[in-house]
Amino acid sequence: GEACDDGNTVGGDTCSACCDRGIDLDWDSVSLLLHLDTDFIDSSSQGAAATAFGGAELSSQQSAFGLGSAEFDNDLSILITSPVVLGGGDFTLEILAYPRTFEGEDHVFYVKTGPQGGVSTQFYLANSTPTLFGDIAGTLQGPPTIQNAWNHLAVVRHQGNVRIYTNGVGGTAVAGAYDFPAAVLALGSVPAADDQGAYSSAYGFDGFLDGVRVTVGVARYTENFTVSARAFPDQGPGGN
C-alpha cells in the first residue's frame, strides 16, 4: 500500500487524507509500478518493459488488490523488467507475495547487477524468512512471512542502512552503501545469463506476486507501519 508521513500536507489536507484519494506524494520518484491485474504494463512514468517467461502468467485465483496477480510455479516461471537504476542513495522496493509453499530458497526478486555467477542482489524466502543477499548488504533477514496469505514485503535503504519490513514490521538494519548501476529486475526466480528466462528451476517462487513498486531516492518506511488496504496510487498531487 501507499506510504504516508503524517507531517506532509497537500492543499491543506494531511498526507493520510491524500492517500485516501489515491495520491502518492512521492510519485515523481517511482521508477517501476506493476499492478499485475490484467497485464504486465509498468504504470509509472518510466514505462519499463516487463516480459514473462516459462509459464509466468496473470491469474484471477488470488489478488492482493484489483482483479488478479502474477502466478509463478516454482519451476522456470519468471518475469523480467527492463533495467532500473536504484543508485547509491535511499530507495524502497516493495511487493505483495502469497507463498503457497516454502522450498528453501524461493526468489521473490533478483536485481542483476553483473553477469551470471556474480553476486548481484537476491531477495528470497529461506523457508518463511525473507532474506536479502548480495552486493548491497551481505546477508540480511526480516520477520517471517505467512504461508497461503498475502505478505507485504519491503526492502528499504535509509541514510545508508538497509532494512527488510514484513507486513509493516522491520527487521535489524545493516549498513549497505552499494551504488547500483542500471540492472534488470527479475521476479519469481533467478534470471538466465541472457535475461531470456530463468537460470534454474531450483530457485523458483511458488505462489502469487502483486503490487510491485520501486521508489528511488525515497525511504518510504523508516519505522514500523500499518500496511494500507489500498492498491498503490497511479498519480501524484498534480494528477500526473
Side-chain angles (χ1 to χ4, degrees):
E2 57 269 37
C4 291
D5 297 321
D6 291 337
N8 292 327
T9 61
V10 172
D13 292 331
T14 64
C15 181
S16 58
C18 295
C19 280
D20 288 340
R21 296 203 310 267
I23 294 173
D24 183 355
L25 297 183
D26 296 312
W27 174 250
D28 289 342
S29 298
V30 176
S31 62
L32 180 71
L33 176 60
L34 302 177
H35 287 300
L36 303 177
D37 288 332
T38 58
D39 54 47
F40 296 120
I41 293 175
D42 174 21
S43 296
S44 79
S45 60
Q46 302 302 309
T51 306
F53 299 94
E57 61 183 359
L58 296 167
S59 172
S60 60
Q61 292 184 48
Q62 293 289 342
S63 176
F65 308 114
L67 301 175
S69 61
E71 183 176 9
F72 300 84
D73 62 6
N74 192 34
D75 190 9
L76 293 173
S77 57
I78 191 170
L79 183 65
I80 300 177
T81 75
S82 54
V84 297
V85 182
L86 295 177
D90 291 355
F91 70 80
T92 305
L93 199 163
E94 55 195 311
I95 189 168
L96 278 297
Y98 187 107
R100 288 184 293 212
T101 60
F102 296 126
E103 301 293 335
E105 195 171 316
D106 309 325
H107 279 71
V108 176
F109 70 77
Y110 187 104
V111 183
K112 187 180 174 187
T113 53
Q116 190 63 51
V119 176
S120 294
T121 292
Q122 310 171 41
F123 185 69
Y124 57 87
L125 302 183
N127 293 315
S128 65
T129 302
T131 302
L132 188 70
F133 172 75
D135 297 324
I136 186 171
T139 300
L140 174 65
Q141 293 187 318
T145 54
I146 303 170
Q147 187 176 359
N148 291 317
W150 284 105
N151 299 266
H152 179 275
L153 301 172
V155 175
V156 180
R157 178 160 64 187
H158 178 234
Q159 297 178 354
N161 293 306
V162 184
R163 189 188 308 267
I164 297 171
Y165 290 87
T166 304
N167 297 320
V169 178
T172 302
V174 173
Y178 181 72
D179 189 356
F180 284 87
V184 300
L185 176 66
L187 305 173
S189 191
V190 175
D194 60 1
D195 300 329
Q196 297 299 301
Y199 171 66
S200 169
S201 61
Y203 305 111
F205 174 80
D206 178 30
F208 305 88
L209 299 176
D210 202 357
V212 182
R213 182 169 67 179
V214 178
T215 310
V216 177
V218 177
R220 289 183 180 268
Y221 314 111
T222 57
E223 58 185 19
N224 292 352
F225 61 95
T226 300
V227 177
S228 173
R230 295 176 58 101
F232 298 135
D234 283 331
Q235 61 180 348
N240 56 325

